[in-house]
Amino acid sequence: MTTRTWENLQIPAAGTFALDVAHTRIGFVVKHMMVSKVRGHFGDFSGTVTIAENPLDSSAEVSIKTASIDTGVADRDGHLRSDDFLSAEKFPTLTFRSTRVVGHSGDEFTLVGDLTIRDVTKPVELTVEYGGAGTNPWGQDVWGFSITTEIDREEFGLTWNQALETGGVLVGKKIKIEIEGEANPAA
């Protein structure tokens, strides 16, 4: 892979890169019954990252098919696709479009952008950890990343819940988003 040194990091040369869906996982974690956590992911998505000459001018776009939500429990997944949550038939995609890189420290960057869920768009701040770059055994260039953020689902219209007899609610308001992935030069 063609890399360059920038502030003591070996980063890819400027260009556009596509998310490698076989090596990327867009996951989430939410509290359940206030005592445990449920994890899930989306299986159908696409996205690009454009690394600029000045890496702080880089950008990213991601589109996720809401119907591809998977928590490992079919009934729960059906409920999450329903109008109570994602309303997958009315709103078939979730999108993220970056607006700017607001800073970095070492291999960690702070990326701000617009997240749209159910036609509600809100700014979010992502912590992006750059994992490095190289060439895989088949000669393909690749670079890796880890991304985390937390959102309040109710700000996006995901307000369904159920009170518990013991106090509290069935589904937590905060959703932690965890993305592990790789990107390759876009064709």
Side-chain angles (χ1 to χ4, degrees), residues 8-83:
N8 296 321
L9 291 175
Q10 281 300 117
I11 64 169
T16 300
F17 299 81
L19 296 184
D20 179 344
V21 297
H23 297 101
T24 299
R25 183 175 195 278
I26 298 177
F28 60 89
V29 182
V30 64
K31 279 280 209 174
H32 180 253
M33 293 186 55
M34 303 185 68
V35 297
S36 66
K37 296 176 182 175
V38 169
R39 294 182 180 276
H41 70 278
F42 292 92
D44 189 358
F45 58 88
S46 62
T48 58
V49 177
T50 301
I51 298 178
E53 283 298 329
N54 175 356
L56 298 179
D57 293 332
S58 298
S59 62
E61 293 185 17
V62 178
S63 178
I64 302 167
K65 299 292 183 188
T66 53
S68 72
I69 194 165
D70 183 356
T71 64
V73 177
D75 287 345
R76 180 173 48 219
D77 295 344
H79 190 202
L80 292 172
R81 289 182 193 106
S82 78
D83 289 341

Side-chain angles (χ1 to χ4, degrees), residues 48-187:
T48 58
V49 177
T50 301
I51 298 178
E53 283 298 329
N54 175 356
L56 298 179
D57 293 332
S58 298
S59 62
E61 293 185 17
V62 178
S63 178
I64 302 167
K65 299 292 183 188
T66 53
S68 72
I69 194 165
D70 183 356
T71 64
V73 177
D75 287 345
R76 180 173 48 219
D77 295 344
H79 190 202
L80 292 172
R81 289 182 193 106
S82 78
D83 289 341
D84 285 344
F85 288 97
L86 295 172
S87 194
E89 285 188 26
K90 291 181 200 166
F91 307 106
T93 58
L94 309 172
T95 60
F96 173 80
R97 178 172 282 127
S98 69
T99 54
R100 66 193 181 286
V101 178
V102 294
H104 83 95
S105 176
D107 62 357
E108 193 170 280
F109 294 79
T110 303
L111 181 66
V112 173
D114 294 325
L115 177 63
T116 302
I117 302 173
R118 291 178 57 123
D119 272 357
V120 176
T121 302
K122 299 281 184 187
V124 296
E125 185 174 284
L126 308 178
T127 300
V128 180
E129 181 184 350
Y130 171 67
T135 304
N136 72 20
W138 300 274
Q140 186 175 40
D141 293 338
V142 60
W143 60 271
F145 54 88
S146 298
I147 300 171
T148 57
T149 193
E150 186 174 270
I151 63 170
D152 180 336
R153 67 183 178 88
E154 293 182 353
E155 291 181 356
F156 293 91
L158 305 174
T159 58
W160 183 91
N161 224 329
Q162 186 172 344
L164 300 173
E165 284 183 26
T166 57
V169 292
L170 187 64
V171 182
K173 284 176 50 169
K174 299 292 183 184
I175 298 175
K176 184 172 185 181
I177 299 170
E178 302 172 326
I179 303 170
E180 294 291 332
E182 295 179 5
N184 313 109

